């Protein structure tokens, strides 16, 4: 299947980010700590929506073995596993 281009790509990315946020919201409703191990794009979409302080999608790029620890209120710290 061909990748969307132009406006279609923007819509596809927005839909993807929306699905990520919806899934993360469902995870957050559980009354226990959890870990999300996912592709960088998924993490970027989640962080853009929920992180405090706010940032844009690309502000949350991570390398291999990197990620975030997020508190319930959205505060976060970057982590790296080397």
């Amino acid at each position: 299947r061909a990748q969307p281009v132009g406006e279609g790509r923007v819509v596809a990315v927005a839909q993807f980010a929306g699905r990520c946020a919806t899934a993360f919201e469902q995870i957050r409703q559980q009354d226990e700590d959890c870990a999300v191990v996912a592709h960088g794009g998924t993490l970027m979409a989640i962080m853009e929506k929920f992180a405090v302080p706010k940032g844009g999608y690309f502000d949350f790029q991570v390398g291999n073995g990197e990620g975030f620890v997020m508190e319930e209120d959205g505060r976060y710290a970057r982590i790296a596993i080397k």
Side-chain angles (χ1 to χ4, degrees), residues 45-78:
I46 290 169
M47 294 300 289
E48 180 183 30
K49 174 77 176 178
F50 297 101
V52 176
K54 294 288 184 189
Y57 182 80
F58 290 103
D59 294 329
F60 298 107
Q61 282 186 298
V62 294
N64 292 335
E66 296 178 347
F68 303 94
V69 173
M70 182 186 291
E71 300 296 328
E72 193 171 328
D73 63 2
R75 292 177 298 127
Y76 65 92
R78 286 184 177 266

Side-chain angles (χ1 to χ4, degrees), residues 28-54:
R28 288 179 71 191
Q29 291 175 4
Q30 305 301 313
D31 190 25
E32 54 190 71
D33 292 343
C34 70
V36 175
V37 179
H39 184 273
T42 302
L43 297 176
M44 291 162 61
I46 290 169
M47 294 300 289
E48 180 183 30
K49 174 77 176 178
F50 297 101
V52 176
K54 294 288 184 189

Side-chain angles (χ1 to χ4, degrees), residues 19-30:
R19 290 191 302 272
C20 293
T22 297
F24 186 68
E25 193 62 61
Q26 292 172 352
I27 292 168
R28 288 179 71 191
Q29 291 175 4
Q30 305 301 313

